[in-house]
Each structure stands twice: as C-alpha cells, then as structure tokens.
Amino acid sequence: MSSGKILGAILVVGAFAGGMYFGSNQQAAPTITNSTGGASYSGGYDKSTDSSVKSVGKSAVLERTTEGVTHVIEPGDLIMDAVKIANPGDTIQIMPGTYHETVYIDKDDIRIIGVIDEGKRATLDGEGQLNDAILYSGNNIVVENLLITKYKGNAIMGQAGNNFEIRNNIIVDTGVYGIFPQLGKNGIVEHNIISGIEDAAIYVGMSDNIHVAHNEVFDSVAGIEIENSRHAIVENNYVHNNTGGILAFITPGLPIKTTFDVIIRHNFIVNNNTANFGAPGSTVAGIPAGTGILIMAADEVIVEGNIITGNKTAGIIITDHQNAPNTTIDPESDPAPDKVMILDNLMANNGYDTIDEAKALMLTEFKQGNPDIVRVGTSRDSCIINRHRYVTVGVKDWQECSFTNTASVDSYILDEPVPAREIDPSERGKVVYMGICAGCHTYTGRMIGPPVQIIQALYMDNPQGLADWIAKPTKKRDDYPEMPPQDYLDEETRLAAAKYLLSVNR
Amino acid sequence: MQMFKCSTRLIVLIVIMLQGQVNANSSTISLSKNCPPSFELSAKGECKLLNLYQFYSSVQGRGVGGTQTSLPDHRDGFTPSEIDLGRYLFFDPLLSKDGSLSCASCHQPDKGFSDQRDRSIGVTGEKVARSAPTLWNVAFLDKFFWDARAKTLEEQAIGPLFDPKEMGNTPTKLLTDINRNSTYKKLFKQVFPSSESISVANITRALAAFQSSLISLNSRYDRYAHGAHNVLTEREIAGMNVFRSFVARCAECHQPPLFTNNQVAVIGTPEPEGLPFDVGAEKTFNAKKLRGGFKVPTLRNITKTAPYMHSGRFDNLFDSVEFYTKGRGHAVPKDESLQLHWHIWEPDLTKDEIQLIVEFLGTLTDESLTPQIPLVVPSGLPVIDQEYQSSITKHNNNSSATGNGE
C-alpha cells in the first residue's frame, strides 16, 4: 500500500536515463576491483578541528578521575529521587524489578546502570501511559542494561547532551523511537536490542561524531536512521524484519541542514519486509516495505561490506527529495544525495517482489530482474565498484571509486570528549553580571533592585559576603521586591560575579 | 519609619515629575551613552550582548536543543546612541502616514511587544492580515513576518512602514517628516555623522538596533536550565517533560533555548470564521509544499501575547496547545491539501497534560529588560497612542483583511 509512495514519482524522472544508454549496450569485460587491498577512504572528518580519532571501543564519555556516590535503587523506590539528589560524577544503580516513571536528567555526568542479576533486569514500564522513559539533556550521560517497554514516546531520548553512551539495553514495543539522541556530539549507541518501534528503532538526529554498532533492531518501521548528522559510523548491526533497514536522510525543514560522512559497513541487513505501520505523515511512512538501505539527500554515504539479502523492494535505494513525496521542501537544504559511495557488499535475493515504479525505471535501462540498487533523481560525484555483481538501475554513469575500503577510519568518536567550555573566571563574573544582575540593577538608578553603587558601598571589601548573600538572599528593603536566590551558580561563579559587580564603575 | 517611606515616595514622585517636565520639550532629548542592561560597551563603542548561554556549545552553532545549549548567531554591535535613537523612532507615531500610530502601537511593551489582538489594526482602522508577533529576542532570528518573507530586521521594518493597511506611509513622506524635525536632524547627525541627510536605511538600522536589544533570557525556566532545579514547581517540571517528550513534540519546533527553531512549518491551524485560507509561506518561496506554512514563533513571554497563531485564532494557551492534540489536519479545510509537518500527529494528550504544558509555558516569562518608554518623542506626538487605539470604532471582526503584513 505505501510501497508506491516514496517511489511514486519515479516515472516522472524516467527520462533521466532515457536515450543516454541506447548506444552503450555492448558488454565489455567487467572491471573487477579487488577490495581486499588498495586505497582506503580517508574519511570526511577533519581531525584538526577536534582531536585525532582513535580505535573503536574507547569511551565517548569523559573518564572519571574520582567516582561520586553510587545510589542504589530498589523496587518501590523512585529512580527520579536519586537523580534529583545526584551530583555530577554519581552513578545510579537500578536493581532488578519493575519501575513506572519518566527519568529526566538535566545535569552532567550521571550514569544510569541497570543491575542484571542472573538475567533479571531493571525494567522501566510505561504501561502505555507515560511518554518517555529516559530524557537527558546533560553531557557525559551513560544509560546501560535496562529493559524498557510500553512508553508512548521514546525509550531513551537525548536533547543536546554531548558525550553519551547508550548500551546493552533491551527495548520492546516502545512508541515512536527506541533510542533517539538528538542534537548531541560524540556518542555511542551499541549492543542494544530494539523491536516493535513505529518509527526508527535507533534514530540519530542532528548530531555529530556518532558510533552505532553491534545492535539488533527488528520488527520496526525503520531499523537505524542517521538524519541531519555528520561523521557517523553504523557498523556490525543486525537489522532485520523492519520496513526499511538502515536510513541516511536529510530531512528538510529542520534547523540543522546536512547529513554527510556516514559509513554504513559490515551490517547484516536482512529480510526487511515488514508492512509499513508508520504514523500517517511521518517521513518513514513513505518507505516501501522491503528496503534494505535508503539514502535520501544525504551526502558522502559509504556503503561497504554489508550483507544485504532478502529485501523484497531493493537492497539499496538512493533518492533525492523530489522523488520522496512524503517530505516537504527546504530552500536551505540540498535535496540531492551526492558523493554516495558503494563498495563491495554481499547482495542476494533482493528486489524479488519490487514495486512497479522500480520495474518501470529499470525499463529505461532495458533491464529486467530483481533490483539490488535503485537510484532515482539527481546525484553528483557518486561512485561504485564491482557494479556488475548487482542488478542496478540509475548508477550506470557513476564513476569507479578511487578506493575500495574504509579500513583507515576506525571511529569518529573523539579522543577527548567534548569539553565544557572553559571560561576565564573574570569573564564568567562579567557575563553573569551583565546577563543576570544588570537586568535588575543599574549603576546609579533605581530599577527592580537597588543601584549597584549602594551595593558597592555595603560590600566593597567583602566580595565573599556578597557572594554568600546572592546564594541565599534575605529581604532587606521594604521598598524593593525580594531577590531570587542565585544558588544555581556555582560558588566560584558567584564570587566572580560579586567581584565584578564591586568593580564596575558605570 | 512610616514617615521615611512616605518621603521616599514623595521624592521619587518629584523626580519623575521633574523628568517629565525636562523631557516634555523634545528639543532637549539626548541619546544614551550607555548600553542597555545585559550589553557590554566594547572598546569600539559597540554594545555586545552577554548571557549565560554563551558558556555552552551547540551542534553546528545553530543554537537549538536542550537545556544547556548555546544560542545561535545574533545581531548586536550597535552603538548606544543607535539603540536609543531606535527607541525614540519605535515609539514615535510620526513614522505613520498620519501620525496616528507608531511601531509600538502593535508591539506594546506591556503586551509582550504584541498588541493582544487577533489581528492588528492599521492606519485605516481595519484589521490587517495577521497577528503582530512578539519582538522579544528578534536579535536571534533570520526570518521575519509570519510568512518568513524578510531576512533582516531592516528589511522587515519596511513592511509595516509602507504597507497601506499598516502604517500607510511612503518613503518620501517619511523622509520629509523626519528631515523637517529639528530634533531628529540633530539626533541622526549625531548617530550617523557621515550621512548627509536622513535615509530610510538610517531609520531602519536604528529600529533594528533597538529591537536587537529586546532580550528575554532570564525567566524561571532559564534559571532551571542553568541548574536551579528548585525554581520550578513539580507541576511545571512535569509540564516541561510533557512539552519536550516525543509524544507532545512541542520542543521539536519550539526548541530551547529560544523556544523556536527559526523554521517554517505547516501545521494547519484554522483561520477565523469567514476569512479565506491564508497560504503563508507558499507565496514567499513559491512552493506548493509550503502552502499554509508559517514561521515557528518563539514561546518566550507567551503568556503576554494572546491571542495566538498567525490569525489570532485561539485566545488562550490551553486552546492553542489543545489544537495539537485534536488530530493531524483536523482543522484543514476540506478543499485544501497541505503537506503537514511530520511532527503534527495525534499525541492524545490528557486534559491535565495540556494544562501542565500551559503551566510550564508560564515559566518562560521574563520582562526584566523591558526598555523604558520615552515620556516624549521628537515629534511631540503622544507616545503609544492609547487615545488613537481607543478611538477606533470603524473596525469590526468581520472586516476584510487585505493588509499584506502583520
């Protein structure tokens, strides 16, 4: 039913090949490129802008020099109670048992570790009522070893948290996305088992430097989706029985506009023929069942060494936005998938029950058979090696790739995790003063609070006294409103702000 | 003590009265040499914005995401005098065709820099096409008007100034009026010493400078974001979690810290009864897929700016939030086919969850940097034309909306 959608407009562009190939029917001996040696893709990541990249298996999260408190949660306790009192550096261990809550983490360096006891896991059960299981916005967050089920939204969602590790979780029948890190930099998603998700089981959105490895994702609409993200590696995953297996997208209309430098390698992408049960209107609702890999508008996507079998529409589909009717447009994002690179993959038994539009497209190249690779729309500077192995359409004019493997790129995880921005203490004082204090205090005049001049007269030689007072203000003046406590600023910052305030002179 | 308090008040009152007297004569207006609060005067004499969000990072510097995320690029670097001149212009009805309304008529400081109308009333006394958007934090935006048809504040200013339904002026008349005013001549010479005469570009630059100073980043939500988790109530935090959950998905477009992602989205809100379908951004981009698309507005100070949506269709926040849970496309006219945003679905929120979101939205209020309304403006015309506004009797709710702007 939905199979006609994403390729529904394919016929319109049938002309992309028509006529170009009439004269090229003569079969030359195929060029066989040996992919066991030769040049390696050097990656599209400029190491000099961050730090150099190292081997896989290293952590994305900052190494702890000192461990904080370990909070142990037993059934009947609230995980959230521990999060509320936890300080950065703390670990929260959750004992086996069932918990019904939404855990939100708006602080840094917290680790949520489920304790697995003889196979019994800490289970977060949303009972079909709760929205998301884990929501984090802090940096350096770890979520491990949980079993998450029956939430309406996501199992694990990150919102602009950098340096995250999400691993060893089992996620079953949980809403829209299983694992959804969004707007983060430097993260690992590995060794998770996820099924029964109505959009993507793993959805990396608007992020950078991401490693998705060793996961099993199945019975979902999309298996793994890399969207509006850069420098991502998707490897060694078992992706089966979804509607579409692995996706690399630019979704238009989002504030981050690009996807590039995505390596999809050494995955098992098998039998992704599940009928599409995506929500009406969602981007993935247009994916034809039986799609192994779908590349939409994303650039510099390398597909290497995957086993892609039993996907009934096609092993790999490459499309631009114009041929994906479920997407909107965005004048600021490039709709064409450029620099797609297809290296050796094992493709077999794909396209055996493909959609009419793909067949029609094949006719434009006088081809029959079951398509492994279908490309529709525009695509600049793409390449493929050993194309004779596959049944293809739309890649005839692609160049040979100048490399055969990606062995030189182990990981895009940073050597040094994304640091908290270091601010010179005096600058910190100034920023707090200008950003917060100055809203209520002018130098000489009455505003919401008393003039800075008066505060200076009171505290001139006592910045610590002022710093202490702003942490816990007491009402001093009947004719002014009470000042809200500024205790969320750390001690050093409060002192810096106090010193700055006492030093300003206009 | 009581005596003392009374006398303090008296002194304050006298000071205010004296200020009034002093300023009552527009020829004595002088421009501030200080930057507005939250802005630091640089060595070059420019005002640079400082705020705690600059301690954080953001993917690709786009300023969208979670609690501790940096802000996107913004306009600043104007001189104190440019900003202050912009303030006088902003409040001066001389900028309109007949001296009847100023920028502040539709962007009133005490109404969240909007006007609490479904659609604003222009110089003709009739309603214009769309509601007046708030001006809080416009320094961070790169698309203006509901249909995103302007890319800069300067470009935006041209819209209402010369729209016949809005301020109704013409460049010629505007420049004649301003150049004829000796106070403005003096002030513009001071701010733009190299300009021989006052130009429209000078005027829009000063307006942009002033509007870029309207910063709202110190709400209770912001204190939570910076780490003060005790400043929000349990219900407000619960509301925040519904807001940013992937069920409600509010935070996917109204992304913190600005509570907008600066994008155009087609959501299919209804027009007021009797009004034709508004094509929105379809016209701007000549793109059918953006039919009915409008800019995602910021939610900062949202409690101050009812009614809501491009058409002012909902007069309270509960109804506005409830729109999203009534089902994808439920209000799209039968003869319209829209490419609705994929985040519009059927989240099936409970009434209490909607109420929680509304309570959370209340934590986004911060008007601590509201600029002072000048007691007198160079033209001598009444500042924020309450009289004019209250004298309007011509309009009624059924008047046609053919104005081009908002």
Side-chain angles (χ1 to χ4, degrees):
Chain A
M1 42 134 234
S2 60
S3 64
K5 285 185 185 169
I6 199 155
L7 297 173
I10 270 176
L11 283 175
V12 179
V13 296
F16 85 103
M20 288 174 61
Y21 299 100
F22 280 105
S24 59
N25 271 343
Q26 250 179 343
Q27 279 289 335
T31 309
I32 296 180
T33 307
N34 180 1
S35 65
T36 58
S40 180
Y41 175 71
S42 56
Y45 183 55
D46 181 3
K47 296 169 187 176
S48 65
T49 61
D50 277 299
S51 34
S52 61
V53 293
K54 253 204 228 158
S55 57
V56 190
K58 67 202 304 300
S59 66
V61 162
L62 194 65
E63 206 170 316
R64 284 177 175 173
T65 47
T66 53
E67 276 291 330
V69 176
T70 298
H71 308 263
V72 178
I73 305 300
E74 304 276 357
D77 297 344
L78 282 176
I79 303 164
M80 204 53 223
D81 282 347
V83 176
K84 282 178 182 168
I85 60 168
N87 291 308
D90 287 3
T91 297
I92 297 170
Q93 286 185 358
I94 310 172
M95 299 304 288
T98 306
Y99 303 82
H100 309 288
E101 56 182 309
T102 291
V103 177
Y104 60 94
I105 311 165
D106 291 322
K107 43 181 93 172
D108 292 341
D109 196 7
I110 302 291
R111 299 184 181 188
I112 304 276
I113 314 287
V115 176
I116 305 173
D117 183 11
E118 293 185 348
K120 290 195 288 294
R121 281 178 177 252
T123 300
L124 271 68
D125 183 350
E127 300 180 294
Q129 302 292 318
L130 295 172
N131 291 333
D132 299 317
I134 308 265
L135 249 179
Y136 68 86
S137 72
N139 292 337
N140 297 305
I141 301 293
V142 174
V143 182
E144 284 184 355
N145 300 351
L146 300 174
L147 195 161
I148 301 176
T149 190
K150 293 192 172 57
Y151 281 81
K152 288 162 67 183
N154 304 317
I156 301 168
M157 180 179 193
Q159 296 180 329
N162 300 321
N163 312 328
F164 55 86
E165 293 174 14
I166 301 168
R167 66 165 67 82
N168 296 343
N169 300 287
I170 299 175
I171 296 168
V172 187
D173 291 337
T174 291
V176 186
Y177 300 122
I179 295 173
F180 178 23
Q182 189 186 27
L183 295 159
K185 186 176 173 81
N186 201 43
I188 292 173
V189 180
E190 62 182 7
H191 297 290
N192 301 282
I193 300 178
I194 309 171
S195 65
I197 308 294
E198 75 167 53
D199 202 300
I202 296 173
Y203 174 22
V204 175
M206 296 191 270
S207 295
D208 285 300
N209 300 82
I210 302 295
H211 205 92
V212 180
H214 312 293
N215 301 282
E216 181 185 4
V217 293
F218 60 101
D219 290 352
S220 301
V221 174
I224 298 171
E225 179 173 351
I226 304 295
E227 182 221 44
N228 298 34
S229 297
R230 293 138 302 278
H231 316 304
I233 295 180
V234 180
E235 64 179 4
N236 306 337
N237 300 282
Y238 181 26
V239 181
H240 63 97
N241 297 91
N242 306 286
T243 304
I246 297 179
L247 283 39
F249 275 9
I250 292 175
T251 298
L254 295 177
I256 309 284
K257 306 290 184 188
T258 57
T259 294
F260 58 83
D261 193 18
V262 177
I263 298 177
I264 302 172
R265 65 183 176 194
H266 307 151
N267 301 282
F268 295 87
I269 304 167
V270 180
N271 297 340
N272 292 289
N273 299 317
T274 297
N276 196 320
F277 59 99
S282 65
T283 312
V284 297
I287 300 174
T291 302
I293 293 177
L294 180 56
I295 299 166
M296 179 176 78
D299 298 339
E300 294 171 41
V301 181
I302 301 106
V303 183
E304 179 204 12
N306 301 285
I307 292 181
I308 306 173
T309 59
N311 303 289
K312 70 177 183 181
T313 294
I316 303 173
I317 299 176
I318 300 142
T319 179
D320 57 13
H321 282 150
Q322 281 85 350
N323 290 287
N326 252 33
T327 59
T328 180
I329 58 138
D330 182 347
E332 294 170 296
S333 65
D334 174 10
D338 298 325
K339 298 184 184 167
V340 175
M341 299 161 247
I342 299 180
L343 306 181
D344 276 350
N345 292 275
L346 194 161
M347 295 215 218
N349 195 32
N350 296 303
Y352 58 84
D353 183 17
T354 197
I355 50 178
D356 291 344
E357 292 85 349
K359 290 179 193 159
L361 195 58
M362 290 175 72
L363 284 178
T364 64
E365 292 187 15
F366 307 104
K367 283 186 172 166
Q368 289 180 331
N370 304 334
D372 290 305
I373 301 173
V374 174
R375 193 273 293 179
V376 60
T378 51
S379 174
R380 277 187 300 106
D381 303 326
S382 292
C383 71
I384 182 168
I385 63 172
N386 290 328
R387 70 191 76 190
H388 57 277
R389 292 182 177 179
Y390 320 118
V391 179
T392 66
V393 60
V395 303
K396 214 165 179 179
D397 57 342
W398 286 17
Q399 300 298 308
E400 278 290 302
C401 299
S402 57
F403 49 84
T404 64
N405 62 77
T406 62
S408 67
V409 182
D410 281 333
S411 169
Y412 288 132
I413 296 301
L414 305 177
D415 262 5
E416 296 295 325
V418 184
R421 195 175 154 203
E422 286 301 324
I423 306 282
D424 176 78
S426 65
E427 193 187 343
R428 188 174 278 267
K430 182 173 78 182
V431 170
V432 170
Y433 172 78
M434 301 300 285
I436 300 175
C437 313
C440 297
H441 303 275
T442 57
Y443 188 64
T444 52
R446 180 194 169 97
M447 235 163 114
I448 296 165
V452 169
Q453 252 184 339
I454 289 182
I455 301 170
Q456 287 179 341
L458 285 170
Y459 284 100
M460 205 28 142
D461 303 315
N462 186 14
Q464 187 61 54
L466 178 56
D468 293 344
W469 190 81
I470 65 178
K472 286 194 179 59
T474 49
K475 189 162 172 64
K476 283 195 165 179
R477 294 157 204 277
D478 286 345
D479 50 342
Y480 285 98
E482 195 169 333
M483 186 173 118
Q486 310 294 325
D487 51 354
Y488 54 94
L489 303 168
D490 61 46
E491 214 173 308
E492 187 191 17
T493 303
R494 290 197 300 264
L495 184 61
K499 282 180 178 165
Y500 188 85
L501 186 147
L502 296 177
S503 72
V504 296
N505 56 17
R506 52 181 294 177
Chain B
M1 194 60 201
Q2 196 59 35
M3 283 271 296
F4 175 73
K5 276 175 73 176
C6 285
S7 60
T8 310
R9 278 194 198 135
L10 196 62
I11 290 167
V12 170
L13 193 63
I14 290 169
V15 169
I16 290 171
M17 286 170 66
L18 282 173
Q19 279 179 339
Q21 281 174 0
V22 170
N23 290 340
N25 184 346
S26 69
S27 65
T28 64
I29 288 173
S30 63
L31 298 179
S32 174
K33 293 184 171 57
N34 298 324
C35 295
S38 273
F39 287 83
E40 181 190 33
L41 193 61
S42 72
K44 282 164 66 186
E46 296 172 347
C47 299
K48 305 299 280 186
L49 177 65
L50 294 179
N51 64 79
L52 284 185
Y53 285 101
Q54 72 190 61
F55 291 162
Y56 313 129
S57 63
S58 166
V59 166
Q60 299 209 309
R62 294 302 292 258
V64 282
T67 49
Q68 299 193 337
T69 302
S70 68
L71 293 159
D73 283 345
H74 63 273
R75 294 289 298 276
D76 66 359
F78 298 102
T79 64
S81 60
E82 277 179 316
I83 295 170
D84 210 26
L85 174 61
R87 185 172 67 104
Y88 285 109
L89 289 166
F90 185 84
F91 288 100
D92 198 334
L94 186 68
L95 270 62
S96 64
K97 173 187 183 180
D98 56 4
S100 67
L101 71 172
S102 68
C103 306
S105 303
C106 298
H107 301 285
Q108 301 183 24
D110 64 336
K111 294 175 175 137
F113 281 99
S114 180
D115 58 4
Q116 285 177 6
R117 296 179 183 281
D118 53 356
R119 287 168 290 133
S120 299
I121 293 166
V123 74
T124 64
E126 291 173 61
K127 288 188 176 183
V128 301
R130 298 175 188 138
S131 74
T134 181
L135 301 182
W136 284 112
N137 294 336
V138 286
F140 299 96
L141 303 184
D142 58 9
K143 299 178 182 66
F144 299 91
F145 296 113
W146 278 105
D147 56 11
R149 67 181 184 271
K151 289 193 170 69
T152 63
L153 280 165
E154 287 87 339
E155 202 186 319
Q156 180 276 332
I158 300 295
L161 280 171
F162 306 132
D163 185 304
K165 288 274 187 177
E166 298 196 30
M167 297 173 87
N169 217 333
T170 62
T172 311
K173 175 166 166 42
L174 175 66
L175 292 178
T176 308
D177 288 345
I178 296 238
N179 276 299
R180 199 179 276 160
N181 182 292
S182 60
T183 306
Y184 273 127
K185 278 189 91 161
K186 184 189 77 180
L187 298 178
F188 270 90
K189 195 70 201 164
Q190 191 185 330
V191 175
F192 303 105
S194 57
S195 294
E196 282 303 309
S197 59
I198 301 169
S199 66
V200 171
N202 294 152
I203 294 169
T204 57
R205 178 169 170 88
L207 286 169
F210 170 66
Q211 292 173 79
S212 297
S213 75
L214 305 176
I215 303 296
S216 174
L217 294 170
N218 277 325
S219 66
R220 286 195 301 125
Y221 163 80
D222 295 290
R223 279 194 272 149
Y224 179 94
H226 299 314
H229 291 178
N230 56 351
V231 301
L232 301 188
T233 67
E234 286 289 325
R235 281 187 65 83
E236 286 165 345
I237 291 173
M240 177 174 69
N241 285 335
V242 180
F243 180 87
R244 61 186 174 173
S245 74
F246 209 74
V247 175
R249 304 183 182 183
C250 315
E252 293 302 308
C253 294
H254 299 283
Q255 276 177 333
L258 291 175
F259 289 85
T260 171
N261 63 359
N262 280 327
Q263 303 298 309
V264 168
V266 182
I267 66 172
T269 57
E271 309 298 348
E273 273 177 41
L275 281 193
F277 182 79
D278 188 337
V279 302
E282 177 187 20
K283 187 176 167 201
T284 306
F285 299 100
N286 190 26
K288 184 89 171 87
K289 282 186 165 185
L290 294 177
R291 184 172 178 81
F294 297 96
K295 219 161 58 94
V296 174
T298 179
L299 301 181
R300 288 192 172 265
N301 288 319
I302 191 72
T303 59
K304 302 286 178 176
T305 60
Y308 301 108
M309 307 294 180
H310 69 277
S311 64
R313 181 67 167 79
F314 300 120
D315 60 11
N316 63 74
L317 281 173
F318 188 95
D319 291 351
S320 311
V321 178
E322 192 186 35
F323 160 80
Y324 294 92
T325 204
K326 281 189 166 171
R328 183 181 163 83
H330 71 271
V332 176
K334 285 196 174 55
D335 55 346
E336 286 289 342
S337 167
L338 304 182
Q339 179 82 45
L340 290 177
H341 199 288
W342 64 98
H343 285 313
I344 302 296
W345 68 321
E346 304 194 7
D348 204 16
L349 301 178
T350 64
K351 285 240 181 308
D352 191 50
E353 283 179 314
I354 295 171
Q355 184 57 34
L356 287 170
I357 291 174
V358 172
E359 287 173 38
F360 168 66
L361 293 176
T363 72
L364 297 175
T365 303
D366 163 40
E367 300 179 295
S368 60
L369 302 185
T370 304
Q372 283 196 319
I373 301 171
L375 292 169
V376 65
V377 287
S379 68
L381 291 164
V383 177
I384 304 189
D385 44 320
Q386 275 97 346
E387 297 96 306
Y388 173 80
Q389 291 287 345
S390 59
S391 74
I392 291 173
T393 52
K394 287 191 275 181
H395 81 274
N396 61 61
N397 285 334
N398 297 321
S399 64
S400 68
T402 51
N404 199 26
E406 53 254 35

Coordinates of all heavy atoms in Angstrom, one line a residue, chain B residues 90-93 96 100-109 111 114-117 120-121 132 167 382-386 388-389:
Chain B
F90 N 10.9 54.1 17.4 CA 10.0 53.0 17.6 C 8.7 53.5 18.3 O 7.6 53.0 17.9 CB 10.6 51.9 18.5 CG 9.8 50.7 18.7 CD1 9.9 49.6 17.8 CD2 9.0 50.5 19.9 CE1 9.1 48.5 18.0 CE2 8.3 49.3 20.1 CZ 8.3 48.3 19.1
F91 N 8.8 54.4 19.2 CA 7.6 54.9 19.9 C 7.0 56.1 19.2 O 6.1 56.7 19.8 CB 8.0 55.2 21.3 CG 8.2 54.0 22.2 CD1 9.5 53.5 22.4 CD2 7.1 53.2 22.7 CE1 9.7 52.3 23.2 CE2 7.3 52.1 23.4 CZ 8.6 51.6 23.7
D92 N 7.5 56.6 18.1 CA 7.1 57.9 17.6 C 6.0 57.7 16.5 O 6.3 57.1 15.4 CB 8.3 58.6 17.0 CG 8.0 60.1 16.8 OD1 6.7 60.4 16.7 OD2 8.9 60.9 16.9
P93 N 4.8 58.1 16.7 CA 3.8 58.0 15.6 C 4.1 58.8 14.4 O 3.4 58.6 13.4 CB 2.5 58.5 16.3 CG 2.8 58.5 17.8 CD 4.3 58.7 17.9
S96 N 4.1 57.0 11.0 CA 3.0 56.5 10.2 C 2.5 57.6 9.3 O 2.8 58.8 9.4 CB 1.9 56.1 11.2 OG 1.4 57.2 11.9
S100 N -0.7 58.8 13.4 CA -1.7 58.2 14.4 C -1.1 56.9 15.1 O -1.6 56.6 16.1 CB -3.0 57.8 13.6 OG -2.7 56.8 12.7
L101 N -0.1 56.3 14.5 CA 0.4 55.1 15.2 C 1.8 54.8 15.0 O 2.4 55.2 13.9 CB -0.5 53.8 15.0 CG -0.5 53.1 13.6 CD1 -1.3 51.8 13.8 CD2 -1.1 53.9 12.6
S102 N 2.4 54.3 16.0 CA 3.9 54.0 16.0 C 4.1 52.5 15.9 O 3.1 51.7 15.9 CB 4.5 54.6 17.2 OG 4.1 53.8 18.3
C103 N 5.4 52.1 15.8 CA 5.7 50.7 15.8 C 5.1 50.1 17.1 O 4.6 48.9 17.1 CB 7.2 50.5 15.8 SG 8.1 51.2 14.5
A104 N 5.2 50.9 18.2 CA 4.7 50.4 19.5 C 3.2 50.2 19.6 O 2.7 49.6 20.5 CB 5.2 51.3 20.6
S105 N 2.5 50.7 18.6 CA 1.0 50.5 18.7 C 0.7 49.1 18.5 O -0.3 48.6 19.2 CB 0.3 51.3 17.5 OG 0.7 52.7 17.6
C106 N 1.4 48.3 17.7 CA 1.2 46.9 17.5 C 2.2 46.1 18.3 O 2.0 44.9 18.4 CB 1.2 46.5 16.0 SG 0.0 47.4 15.0
H107 N 3.2 46.7 18.8 CA 4.2 46.0 19.6 C 4.4 46.7 20.9 O 5.4 47.5 21.1 CB 5.5 45.9 18.8 CG 5.4 45.2 17.5 ND1 5.3 43.8 17.4 CD2 5.4 45.7 16.2 CE1 5.2 43.5 16.1 NE2 5.3 44.6 15.4
Q108 N 3.4 46.5 21.8 CA 3.4 47.3 23.0 C 4.2 46.6 24.1 O 4.0 45.4 24.3 CB 2.0 47.5 23.5 CG 1.2 48.2 22.4 CD -0.3 48.5 22.9 OE1 -0.6 48.6 24.1 NE2 -1.2 48.6 21.9
P109 N 5.1 47.3 24.8 CA 6.0 46.6 25.8 C 5.2 45.8 26.8 O 5.6 44.8 27.2 CB 6.7 47.8 26.4 CG 6.7 48.9 25.3 CD 5.4 48.7 24.6
K111 N 2.5 44.4 26.6 CA 1.7 43.3 26.0 C 2.6 42.3 25.3 O 2.3 41.8 24.2 CB 0.6 43.8 25.1 CG -0.4 44.6 25.8 CD -1.4 45.2 24.9 CE -2.5 45.9 25.8 NZ -2.9 47.2 25.2
S114 N 3.5 42.7 21.7 CA 2.5 42.4 20.7 C 1.3 43.4 21.1 O 1.5 44.4 21.7 CB 2.1 40.9 20.8 OG 1.1 40.7 19.8
D115 N 0.1 43.0 20.7 CA -1.0 44.0 20.9 C -2.3 43.4 21.5 O -3.3 44.1 21.6 CB -1.3 44.8 19.7 CG -1.7 43.9 18.5 OD1 -1.8 42.7 18.7 OD2 -1.9 44.4 17.4
Q116 N -2.2 42.1 21.8 CA -3.4 41.4 22.4 C -4.6 41.5 21.4 O -5.7 41.6 21.9 CB -3.7 42.0 23.8 CG -2.8 41.5 24.8 CD -3.0 42.0 26.2 OE1 -4.0 42.7 26.5 NE2 -2.1 41.6 27.1
R117 N -4.3 41.6 20.2 CA -5.4 41.5 19.2 C -5.2 40.2 18.3 O -4.1 39.8 18.1 CB -5.4 42.7 18.3 CG -5.7 44.0 19.0 CD -5.6 45.1 17.9 NE -5.8 46.4 18.6 CZ -7.0 46.9 19.0 NH1 -8.1 46.2 18.8 NH2 -7.0 48.0 19.6
S120 N -3.8 42.8 14.0 CA -3.6 44.2 14.4 C -4.4 45.1 13.6 O -4.9 44.8 12.5 CB -2.1 44.5 14.2 OG -1.3 43.7 15.0
I121 N -4.6 46.3 14.1 CA -5.4 47.3 13.4 C -4.4 48.4 12.9 O -3.6 48.9 13.6 CB -6.4 48.0 14.4 CG1 -7.4 46.9 14.8 CG2 -7.0 49.2 13.7 CD1 -8.2 47.3 15.9
A132 N 0.2 40.4 15.3 CA 1.5 41.0 15.5 C 2.4 40.1 16.3 O 2.1 39.8 17.4 CB 1.4 42.4 16.2
M167 N 1.1 51.0 8.6 CA 1.4 52.4 9.0 C 1.1 53.4 7.8 O 1.1 54.6 8.0 CB 2.8 52.5 9.5 CG 3.0 51.7 10.7 SD 4.7 51.6 11.3 CE 4.8 53.1 12.3
P382 N 1.7 62.0 20.9 CA 1.6 61.1 22.0 C 2.2 59.7 21.8 O 2.1 59.1 20.8 CB 0.0 61.0 22.2 CG -0.5 61.4 20.9 CD 0.4 62.3 20.3
V383 N 2.9 59.3 22.8 CA 3.7 58.0 22.8 C 2.7 56.9 23.0 O 1.9 56.9 23.9 CB 4.8 58.0 23.8 CG1 5.5 56.7 23.8 CG2 5.7 59.2 23.5
I384 N 2.8 55.8 22.3 CA 1.8 54.7 22.3 C 0.5 55.3 22.4 O 0.0 55.8 23.4 CB 2.0 53.7 23.4 CG1 3.4 53.1 23.4 CG2 1.0 52.6 23.2 CD1 3.6 52.0 24.4
D385 N -0.2 55.3 21.3 CA -1.4 56.1 21.0 C -2.6 55.4 21.6 O -3.5 55.0 20.9 CB -1.5 56.2 19.5 CG -1.2 54.8 18.9 OD1 -0.3 54.1 19.4 OD2 -2.0 54.4 18.0
Q386 N -2.6 55.4 23.0 CA -3.8 54.8 23.6 C -5.1 55.5 23.1 O -6.1 54.8 22.8 CB -3.8 54.9 25.1 CG -3.0 53.8 25.8 CD -1.6 54.2 26.1 OE1 -1.1 55.2 25.6 NE2 -0.9 53.4 26.9
Y388 N -5.6 57.0 20.4 CA -6.0 56.6 19.0 C -6.6 55.2 19.0 O -7.7 54.9 18.4 CB -4.7 56.6 18.1 CG -5.0 56.0 16.7 CD1 -5.6 56.7 15.7 CD2 -4.7 54.7 16.5 CE1 -5.9 56.2 14.5 CE2 -4.9 54.1 15.2 CZ -5.5 54.9 14.2 OH -5.8 54.3 13.0
Q389 N -5.9 54.3 19.7 CA -6.4 52.9 19.8 C -7.8 52.9 20.3 O -8.7 52.1 19.8 CB -5.5 52.0 20.7 CG -4.1 51.8 20.1 CD -4.2 50.8 18.9 OE1 -5.1 50.2 18.7 NE2 -3.1 50.8 18.1

